Amino acid sequence: MMLNGAEDEEKWLAEGIAGIQHNAFYMHRALDSNNLREALKYSAQMLSELRTSKLSPHKYYELYMRAFDELRMLEMFFKDESKHGVSVVDLYELVQHAGNILPRLYLLCTVGSVYIKSKEAPTKELLKDLVEMCRGVQHPIRGLFLRCYLAQISRDKLTDIGSDHEGDVDTVMDAVEFVLQNFSEMNKLWVRMQNQEPGRAREKRKKERSELQDLVGKNLHVLGQIERVDLDMYKETVLPRVLEHVVNCKDDLAQYYLMDCIIQVFPDEYHLQTLEALLGACPQLQPTVDIKTVLSRLMDRLSKYAASSTDVLHEFLQVEAFTKLSNTIEKVIEVKVDMPAVGAITLYVSLLTFTLRVHPDRLDYADQVLGACVKKLSNMPKLEDSLATKQVVALLRAPLEKYNDIVTALTLSNYPRVMDHLDNGTNKVMAMVIIESIMKNNTCISTADKVEVLFELIKGLIKDLDGAVDELDEEDFKDEQNSVAKLIHMLYNDEPEEMGKIICIVWKHTMAGGPKRLPFTVPSLVFSALRLVRRLQGQEGDIVGEVVPATPKKIFQLLSQIIEALSAVPSPELALRLYLQCAEAANDCDLEHVAYEFFTQTFVLYEEEIANSKAQFTAIHLIIGALQRMTVFGVENRDTLTHKATGYSARLLKKPDQCRAVYTCSHLFWVDDEDGIRDGERVLLCLKRALRIANAAQQMANVARGSSGPITLFVEILNKYLYFFEKGNQQITAAAIQDLIELINTEMQGDSAHPDNDPDVFLASTLRYIQFQKQKGGIMGEKFESIEL
């Protein structure tokens, strides 16, 4: 039966392991009996299993590790000359007579390890001999593992190089030369693997190669651990030799891995002092090398190094690290013309992150990075790659997260230019990020020029961008506009002139938002302006030469225009509320004419724009409440406005609404403060009129339902009578209250067929209050005493 590829490989691996175990058994018997020749014979047969070409690198590694464990036992046997009776020099010659080259070289390396440790020959000569001998195996996988074994068994011996009896710098150079030569040969074998298979098999072979990359990288790890390899040696010898080999191998997988390995293995201070050489190799790498990741990791390591101690920051300035990194990135992007947008932008994100960590005070550096990114983005079409867009957002987020202050970001002239390259949706997302940063850090934007820049940045939220066709979810739209409204409250300056400029700038931008946005943003702008008005109370005249509002009068003129735009949306109910707020602010500023004008605009809105009966009822109550609080009006203006309010109240569509509005108007004629109006007769007229309307409503209910109407209205009017009775209105008598109570009782008795619990509860509560006042005693008790319950 035919086996498939995976089953075949498992079968071959099992056979290889069985062969190693079989020969290892006899090798151990020979070792136990101190029989050197038998031990060498079976060890050579055991190592012959590594000559297979049928295994993938992963499976071959399993086989190699089985043999490696046995070789460690053999090495221990070789160390004890008393057991085998042969000098290490003779042993080194003896193992070279093995029949096959691969077992011969494994045994040679094993004995060589013992030979080096014995110090009976110069380490330099032995290492040179071993590394040269290994050239005899040119099969990529077998050769790689053989040289890997050489690196492993010599690793602990290299620490002896440079000791007193070995010599000094020259001997250290010998060790470095050995590792570099072994590294070079291993990399050649590793690269050669890719060229052995044509077509589709190359992808499979590339995956297999990635499984072997650590074998090559171990040489660089060894170099990084040789203590006497100082900065000068690294700069003059190690790095140039390694980079030369990396560049010349012309293999994208090897170049990427080895560059990354260099960055990870050697110390940060070495990288900083050899930055020019390291960066110089980057543009020479193959176009398919993922250079953005290599450079990003380098910058990340350097920035962490800078953060580790403030003492090293001057070194970054001395070597001009930012300039070198910036120039290299520009050159790499220029050379690699096929680099996708996401790759270029990722490089700028890494460079900006490096800059913000190492040189946080150099805003010019940060702006330079943003400018370079703008230049790159300008040479490509509108971003449609989602990954590239995310990187642009990361680039824009970096200054916000570093400084926690949008004001600092606003000083970067290229910041808005980067945002212009985002699509409409992402532009909005970034605008929301900016607003969230402002709110989170409670940042106050205090100058008009910065407000101008800020609103340019968030223009995706405050107006429809060109080409915007996507329909936003209603809830998302509300969230966005509410965020803008909150932002307006973060724009503040203690100087009235500057604050006035800010208000005008915000108004200019919000007007561009169109009718659907104004109901969200105008209220915040109005209250921001009113806050300024209250700070300016008492200033009457105009300031010569100032275009921006600087007095309450000028600001009220602007507010009138702002709210008028809102009323045309149309959003008349909101506009009405804002007119009333402005009227009250004008009252506080003692500007009667201005306050009267706002009330006039309120009534115009009420007449022409508010048609819904429920909305009319709410609006008239708001008007009455605001008018009742006004103290600035003279008799004529107050009478005019009061007459309008009572007239509109009596003309409401529904009788219950009419009744409630009319009795509410009674408060317009009785203001309970020192200088307040106290016109008891007109109060009584309002209450009597409300009572007539309640009677009319009762009769209409009788006709419509055959039962009593809204008795609650009578109880509400009773409460108004009690209020003014307590306040000392001489026109409201105990007899009138008594009559009203009897009327209510009569009406409720007539509704026994259809009892209404609400009036019962309301009336009972009111009567308890009267009883409480009677029992309280004193002047108030005497007043209520004549009311019989």
Side-chain angles (χ1 to χ4, degrees):
M1 183 177 67
M2 294 290 293
L3 298 176
N4 60 38
E7 291 176 343
D8 281 344
E9 193 171 30
E10 290 293 340
K11 173 177 173 289
W12 294 325
L13 175 62
E15 290 176 353
I17 291 174
I20 290 175
Q21 291 174 336
H22 174 76
N23 288 290
F25 172 78
Y26 288 104
M27 181 188 78
H28 283 289
R29 286 181 61 179
L31 295 177
D32 293 339
S33 60
N34 295 331
N35 189 332
L36 176 63
R37 291 193 178 275
E38 285 293 305
L40 290 177
K41 170 186 170 184
Y42 287 110
S43 62
Q45 292 177 4
M46 174 189 73
L47 292 168
S48 292
E49 298 293 339
L50 296 177
R51 296 171 61 202
T52 180
S53 300
K54 298 178 180 180
L55 300 178
S56 65
H58 179 70
K59 297 297 182 183
Y60 190 91
Y61 179 76
E62 291 186 39
L63 196 66
Y64 165 80
M65 288 306 299
R66 295 292 184 117
F68 178 82
D69 291 339
E70 300 300 336
L71 285 172
R72 303 305 288 179
M73 299 294 295
L74 188 63
E75 183 182 4
M76 293 175 64
F77 175 73
F78 288 156
K79 285 180 181 179
D80 192 351
E81 186 176 332
S82 64
K83 288 186 176 181
H84 53 73
V86 178
S87 69
V88 68
V89 178
D90 293 338
L91 190 59
Y92 191 69
E93 291 293 331
L94 181 62
V95 295
Q96 296 185 42
H97 296 289
N100 291 309
I101 188 169
L102 188 66
R104 182 193 315 155
L105 291 176
Y106 270 104
L107 291 172
L108 189 66
C109 290
T110 306
V111 176
S113 172
V114 177
Y115 200 175
I116 294 171
K117 198 71 174 176
S118 70
K119 304 186 187 308
E120 294 185 23
T123 302
K124 170 185 175 180
E125 298 300 329
L126 287 172
L127 289 176
K128 183 179 179 181
D129 190 34
L130 291 173
V131 79
E132 289 291 341
M133 287 278 207
C134 288
R135 289 178 185 268
V137 178
Q138 289 297 304
H139 184 278
I141 295 180
R142 293 198 291 266
L144 272 173
F145 278 94
L146 172 63
R147 287 189 174 274
C148 176
Y149 179 68
L150 173 62
Q152 284 179 292
I153 59 98
S154 62
R155 187 170 186 168
D156 59 330
K157 316 304 184 298
L158 295 178
T159 57
D160 292 337
I161 294 179
S163 60
D164 292 339
H165 83 279
E166 281 283 357
D168 48 16
V169 176
D170 289 340
T171 316
V172 176
M173 281 298 300
D174 293 337
V176 170
E177 185 64 36
F178 162 73
V179 178
L180 287 174
Q181 188 173 350
N182 198 47
F183 159 73
S184 174
E185 294 298 330
M186 287 184 74
N187 194 47
K188 289 176 183 177
L189 292 168
W190 187 42
V191 172
R192 191 184 306 155
M193 285 179 63
Q194 187 66 15
N195 301 322
Q196 287 185 331
E197 301 289 348
R200 289 164 53 182
R202 290 174 65 88
E203 286 303 315
K204 177 184 176 184
R205 183 59 73 182
K206 188 171 185 178
K207 181 181 178 182
E208 291 178 345
R209 286 185 61 210
S210 66
E211 297 173 357
L212 296 174
Q213 61 187 19
D214 288 344
L215 300 182
V216 183
K218 282 179 181 178
N219 292 279
L220 299 183
H221 281 275
V222 171
L223 279 175
Q225 292 175 348
I226 299 177
E227 292 183 4
R228 298 196 61 181
V229 176
D230 57 14
L231 176 60
D232 289 336
M233 186 178 295
Y234 177 77
K235 183 189 295 185
E236 299 297 329
T237 303
V238 175
L239 184 62
R241 289 275 298 277
V242 173
L243 288 179
E244 179 184 11
H245 192 74
V246 170
V247 171
N248 291 338
C249 74
K250 304 295 182 183
D251 179 78
D252 56 351
L253 179 62
Q255 288 181 337
Y256 170 76
Y257 170 71
L258 294 175
M259 288 295 290
D260 186 57
C261 203
I262 292 170
I263 293 168
Q264 302 303 327
V265 165
F266 295 104
D268 297 322
E269 57 268 29
Y270 285 18
H271 294 324
L272 186 60
Q273 296 301 324
T274 59
L275 195 56
E276 189 169 357
L278 189 58
L279 294 176
C282 293
Q284 303 177 56
L285 303 180
Q286 294 297 102
T288 50
V289 173
D290 184 12
I291 192 64
K292 72 177 187 302
T293 303
V294 173
L295 287 172
S296 295
R297 288 177 178 171
L298 173 62
M299 288 184 278
D300 184 59
R301 279 206 64 170
L302 290 176
S303 60
K304 289 179 180 177
Y305 175 55
S308 66
S309 172
T310 55
D311 297 336
V312 303
L313 291 177
H314 72 281
E315 298 178 19
F316 283 83
L317 294 172
Q318 286 179 346
V319 302
E320 299 180 333
F322 171 78
T323 302
K324 290 176 181 177
L325 286 166
S326 180
N327 292 340
T328 299
I329 288 173
E330 185 176 351
K331 190 171 182 180
V332 165
I333 292 174
E334 181 182 340
V335 170
K336 298 183 181 298
V337 291
D338 296 330
M339 178 182 286
V342 63
I345 300 168
T346 300
L347 284 173
Y348 288 123
V349 172
S350 299
L351 180 58
L352 182 59
T353 303
F354 168 85
T355 304
L356 294 174
R357 286 179 178 175
V358 180
H359 305 292
D361 55 330
R362 293 297 300 267
L363 293 178
D364 55 325
Y365 283 176
D367 205 29
Q368 184 178 329
V369 177
L370 294 173
C373 187
V374 169
K375 181 180 177 182
K376 176 63 179 177
L377 292 171
S378 300
N379 296 326
M380 59 179 63
K382 196 74 173 180
L383 285 178
E384 295 181 356
D385 181 0
S386 60
L387 294 177
T389 301
K390 287 180 181 178
Q391 287 301 311
V392 174
V393 171
L395 187 76
L396 292 167
R397 276 180 178 269
L400 299 181
E401 294 173 353
K402 173 63 180 179
Y403 298 112
N404 290 325
D405 181 11
I406 186 63
V407 175
T408 304
L410 294 178
T411 62
L412 303 172
S413 60
N414 288 303
Y415 197 90
R417 296 174 63 199
V418 176
M419 279 198 69
D420 288 339
H421 289 277
L422 294 173
D423 61 78
N424 294 336
T426 312
N427 193 295
K428 288 182 179 182
V429 171
M430 194 61 222
M432 287 292 288
V433 169
I434 291 172
I435 293 177
E436 287 168 5
S437 172
I438 293 173
M439 303 308 296
K440 176 183 176 182
N441 298 296
N442 201 26
T443 306
C444 178
I445 317 299
S446 58
T447 62
D449 57 339
K450 285 187 172 58
V451 171
E452 183 71 52
V453 175
L454 174 62
F455 272 71
E456 274 298 313
L457 290 179
I458 64 168
K459 61 187 176 183
L461 298 180
I462 58 179
K463 68 179 181 180
D464 292 328
L465 298 176
D466 295 338
V469 293
D470 54 322
E471 292 189 9
L472 190 65
D473 179 78
E474 187 66 24
E475 289 300 318
D476 290 341
F477 178 77
K478 289 180 180 179
D479 288 342
E480 290 176 357
Q481 298 312 305
N482 285 329
S483 296
V484 176
K486 292 177 185 177
L487 172 66
I488 293 174
H489 291 295
M490 303 304 294
L491 315 176
Y492 182 78
N493 193 299
D494 287 328
E495 291 295 325
E497 301 304 325
E498 191 68 18
M499 189 64 205
K501 292 178 183 177
I502 290 173
I503 290 170
C504 286
I505 289 171
V506 175
W507 172 232
K508 176 187 72 174
H509 285 281
T510 53
M511 272 298 291
K516 65 180 181 178
R517 290 181 174 85
L518 289 179
F520 294 93
T521 52
V522 163
S524 292
L525 180 58
V526 168
F527 282 102
S528 181
L530 290 178
R531 180 168 58 173
L532 176 59
V533 165
R534 297 185 190 282
R535 287 181 20 233
L536 294 172
Q537 288 180 19
Q539 294 188 18
E540 293 288 341
D542 298 341
I543 296 179
V544 178
E546 287 292 341
V547 178
V548 180
T551 64
K553 281 186 178 180
K554 282 188 174 183
I555 298 173
F556 281 129
Q557 289 172 4
L558 177 62
L559 284 169
S560 181
Q561 297 173 22
I562 293 172
I563 302 173
E564 185 178 356
L566 182 62
S567 63
V569 168
S571 187
E573 296 167 41
L574 179 58
L576 182 141
R577 291 171 182 267
L578 295 176
Y579 276 136
L580 293 177
Q581 290 289 335
C582 292
E584 292 197 49
N587 176 77
D588 295 340
C589 294
D590 202 25
L591 298 174
E592 180 180 6
H593 174 71
V594 175
Y596 186 85
E597 185 60 34
F598 279 121
F599 266 100
T600 301
Q601 290 172 311
T602 300
F603 282 120
V604 170
L605 264 183
Y606 179 85
E607 292 173 357
E608 297 180 357
E609 302 292 341
I610 300 178
N612 181 274
S613 61
K614 185 176 180 180
Q616 285 183 335
F617 177 71
T618 302
I620 202 64
H621 270 75
L622 290 171
I623 292 171
I624 294 169
L627 186 56
Q628 192 264 350
R629 292 187 292 272
M630 304 299 287
T631 58
V632 72
F633 291 134
V635 175
E636 183 179 351
N637 283 341
R638 187 174 187 86
D639 283 348
T640 301
L641 296 174
T642 301
H643 177 73
K644 277 183 170 291
T646 53
Y648 287 131
S649 298
R651 292 197 295 272
L652 288 171
L653 181 62
K654 298 177 181 179
K655 288 295 181 182
D657 291 346
Q658 286 181 22
C659 177
R660 291 186 172 101
V662 169
Y663 71 57
T664 303
C665 285
S666 63
H667 290 280
L668 295 175
F669 306 106
W670 193 279
V671 180
D672 194 29
D673 57 32
E674 289 185 16
D675 302 321
I677 300 166
R678 296 189 179 184
D679 190 340
E681 290 187 7
R682 297 182 73 176
V683 169
L684 183 59
L685 284 173
C686 284
L687 295 180
K688 285 183 176 180
R689 189 173 185 181
L691 199 53
R692 289 197 299 270
I693 297 171
N695 275 318
Q698 182 79 349
Q699 292 170 10
M700 289 176 65
N702 289 337
V703 173
R705 300 202 303 262
S707 63
S708 65
I711 299 173
T712 303
L713 291 175
F714 291 108
V715 183
E716 291 173 6
I717 295 170
L718 172 61
N719 277 269
K720 291 297 176 185
Y721 268 82
L722 292 172
Y723 172 80
F724 289 110
F725 182 65
E726 283 187 40
K727 294 298 182 183
N729 188 339
Q730 300 297 324
Q731 304 300 319
I732 307 298
T733 64
I737 294 173
Q738 185 74 57
D739 291 342
L740 187 52
I741 292 173
E742 292 175 0
L743 173 63
I744 294 170
N745 286 329
T746 302
E747 291 293 339
M748 292 186 71
Q749 289 172 3
D751 193 32
S752 58
H754 301 282
D756 185 355
N757 289 332
D758 289 342
D760 285 345
V761 174
F762 193 5
L763 178 61
S765 179
T766 304
L767 295 179
R768 282 198 304 271
Y769 178 76
I770 296 173
Q771 186 65 37
F772 169 76
Q773 294 290 29
K774 289 174 70 173
Q775 294 172 354
K776 192 163 64 171
I779 298 175
M780 193 61 66
E782 291 177 5
K783 288 185 69 173
F784 277 85
E785 187 62 37
S786 58
I787 302 175
E788 297 181 3
L789 302 178

